[in-house]
Amino acid sequence: IAKMSTACKTILECIGEDPNREGLAKTPERWAKALMFFCHGYDLTAKQVISDAVFSENHNEMVVVRNIDIHSLCEHHMVPFTGRCHIGYVPNGKVVGLSKLARLAEMYARRLQVQERLTRQIADAVVETIQPLGVAVVVESSHLCMVMRGVQKTSAITTTSSVRGCFESNPKTRAEFFSILHGNSPRFC
């Protein structure tokens, strides 16, 4: 934290600020702690996140968790991108605690990232930890590197997908997943 705080003071000076003024006096340490939190995904592995939440279950239909909030930092500019992640899988004799899918998305999002890699890493982690018949992941995000600088397009949303197993080989399975994502599934609430 001390090394990062010192670096932050240098950055503040480089942009013409006084790091000792009242409003900024504690900013370097706050920034360092915040950055460590934003990047705490480096401290975890998929196996640690899943832990013992894999259960034998004779269920062979699609499981989808939609609208998982994600917040990450673009590795090119170190500014946020935020959005939603959707994860679907077809079990192969094992199911995983639903919250663990959200925790996997969180773990990979809390690293310096590009959205394409984030999407792929989540899909690969589901495959490695529960060996489903297939997995599909979609991430939709707004990138502040496109909103606050560069092209400054505030409405632009980037969508990435990654499919494995039956979602890749079976167009009907893939179509069912995307149909669920687009709201063509039964409404219960």
Side-chain angles (χ1 to χ4, degrees):
I1 297 291
K3 188 174 183 180
M4 292 173 70
S5 295
T6 300
C8 184
K9 285 179 186 176
T10 301
I11 292 168
L12 289 171
E13 289 169 351
C14 288
I15 64 169
E17 273 291 353
D18 174 8
N20 296 313
R21 76 174 170 83
E22 183 181 13
L24 292 176
K26 294 183 180 179
T27 296
E29 185 175 346
R30 282 193 298 259
W31 173 83
K33 288 178 180 177
L35 190 58
M36 293 302 292
F37 177 78
F38 297 154
C39 296
H40 72 263
Y42 290 114
D43 297 332
L44 299 167
T45 66
K47 288 184 184 204
Q48 289 172 317
V49 168
I50 297 296
S51 186
D52 60 354
V54 177
F55 310 99
S56 295
E57 187 65 43
N58 186 22
H59 181 79
N60 60 1
E61 299 292 331
M62 192 178 305
V63 177
V64 178
V65 178
R66 295 177 16 183
N67 299 325
I68 302 165
D69 292 330
I70 58 158
H71 309 283
S72 193
L73 291 177
C74 163
E75 71 179 28
H76 301 137
H77 301 99
M78 287 182 62
V79 295
F81 65 92
T82 63
R84 301 178 303 172
C85 177
H86 316 285
I87 303 172
Y89 74 99
V90 177
N92 187 17
K94 295 184 275 185
V95 296
V96 65
L98 298 176
S99 70
K100 299 301 184 178
L101 296 174
R103 289 180 191 279
L104 277 177
E106 173 79 3
M107 179 191 78
Y108 287 111
R110 293 303 187 163
R111 300 174 179 192
L112 297 179
Q113 277 289 11
V114 294
Q115 184 173 322
E116 298 87 345
R117 183 187 324 115
L118 170 63
T119 308
R120 186 181 70 248
Q121 286 176 327
I122 295 167
D124 289 344
V126 174
V127 169
E128 290 167 16
T129 56
I130 63 170
Q131 298 88 42
L133 295 175
V135 64
V137 176
V138 170
V139 175
E140 305 168 294
S141 295
S142 174
H143 292 251
L144 288 181
C145 59
M146 285 181 58
V147 171
M148 294 181 65
R149 55 159 304 282
V151 296
Q152 298 180 13
K153 299 302 178 197
T154 59
S155 299
I157 300 294
T158 300
T159 303
T160 51
S161 67
S162 187
V163 293
R164 304 285 184 277
C166 62
F167 288 92
E168 189 171 21
S169 62
N170 187 332
K172 289 182 179 180
T173 304
R174 187 171 46 254
E176 179 184 348
F177 174 72
F178 284 103
S179 176
I180 290 169
L181 290 193
H182 294 115
N184 299 330
S185 60
R187 299 279 184 218
F188 299 105
C189 301

